[in-house]
Amino acid sequence: MIPKNTKKILLYLLRNLEIINMNQISKTLNISVGSAFKILKRLEEEKIVLSKKLGNATFYQVNLDNDEALKVCELLLLEEKRNLKGYPKIYSDEIKNFENAELIVIFGSILNNREFNDVDVLFITNRIKEVSSFCLHVSKIRMKPIVPLILNRGDFIREIKNKKEAILHILKTGIILKGESVFLKVIKDAKS
């Protein structure tokens, strides 16, 4: 079992493309600097995170070249999906069944608000017509429409590298419904 603060730190580092220092981590996640320091040092010793000294500060990022780090991150992403409740769970149970996408991410107002107008979903696939037809079908049997954002993997990586704000927001806040390992590979490719 991975401790709660360790999970928070790893997910934060994974979902933010830039390297981040301990004070930023501590402040953003509301974890004491001492706790963040201990957690990051342990993760660094286990080679799950990498550190880099710049001036007086040490910056951290997930070591996406380490198989153990990838497996831990994949487990954390799976746990996020498993912990969905209410409407996000109802819709995600339906959406994750779409077979012809290598990555599916639910994002937007459905994750934060009881009142939402639609369900935003990112599909990484080349099957545009199939996604549109699938979303139309699910929209007919559920209360709210599904609004797909359809990209192929290359375009998704390019949008991340270009720091497109909407895509970065999806990376930071979205829940992976399918393709956790693909998500990690995309992040690694975007960082290189």
Side-chain angles (χ1 to χ4, degrees):
M1 195 72 170
I2 301 170
K4 183 174 124 184
N5 284 342
T6 303
K7 289 178 194 178
K8 285 168 66 173
I9 289 173
L10 280 172
L11 284 169
Y12 181 70
L13 289 174
L14 177 66
R15 290 175 176 275
N16 289 279
L17 297 181
E18 61 277 343
I19 57 174
I20 303 163
N21 73 35
M22 189 174 13
N23 288 332
Q24 290 170 306
I25 293 167
S26 173
K27 184 177 180 180
T28 304
L29 300 178
N30 202 20
I31 299 172
S32 74
V33 174
S35 290
F37 178 78
K38 286 179 188 173
I39 292 167
L40 288 164
K41 281 299 168 202
R42 185 176 50 76
L43 292 172
E44 187 179 7
E45 288 168 6
E46 295 170 357
K47 298 189 178 11
I48 292 174
V49 299
L50 299 172
S51 67
K52 184 179 196 175
K53 273 266 198 218
L54 293 172
N56 292 336
T58 304
F59 291 82
Y60 296 91
Q61 64 183 3
V62 174
N63 183 0
L64 295 173
D65 292 321
N66 179 322
D67 287 340
E68 185 180 349
L70 291 174
K71 287 184 183 351
V72 168
C73 289
E74 208 170 314
L75 282 171
L76 293 176
L77 294 171
L78 285 165
E79 185 178 2
E80 278 187 324
K81 175 175 63 177
R82 191 175 57 245
N83 288 336
L84 285 173
K85 298 194 180 345
Y87 287 118
K89 171 124 179 75
I90 292 167
Y91 278 91
S92 69
D93 286 347
E94 196 83 37
I95 295 165
K96 70 183 178 189
N97 293 327
F98 182 73
E99 294 178 7
N100 295 319
E102 55 182 330
L103 175 64
I104 302 174
V105 182
I106 190 170
F107 65 97
S109 60
I110 188 172
L111 297 177
N112 305 322
N113 303 328
R114 291 184 61 84
E115 298 294 322
F116 58 97
N117 295 326
D118 54 25
V119 180
D120 299 306
V121 183
L122 168 67
F123 291 88
I124 302 301
T125 184
N126 292 324
R127 308 268 183 92
I128 296 169
K129 287 183 181 176
E130 290 177 32
V131 170
S132 297
S133 152
F134 172 79
C135 291
L136 194 59
H137 169 73
V138 174
S139 295
K140 287 179 182 175
I141 60 174
R142 296 282 171 216
M143 295 181 337
K144 306 287 182 172
I146 295 178
V147 179
L149 170 58
I150 307 166
L151 296 171
N152 66 40
R153 191 191 289 208
D155 289 340
F156 187 45
I157 292 168
R158 195 170 19 268
E159 296 289 349
I160 294 169
K161 284 184 174 185
N162 291 336
K163 299 188 185 306
K164 182 112 181 217
E165 195 173 321
I167 298 298
L168 294 179
H169 181 72
I170 293 169
L171 287 181
K172 290 178 183 180
T173 62
I175 303 293
I176 313 305
L177 301 182
K178 177 182 178 183
E180 293 81 6
S181 59
V182 173
F183 180 77
L184 295 171
K185 177 89 173 91
V186 163
I187 297 280
K188 182 178 179 180
D189 291 347
K191 283 186 174 185
S192 61

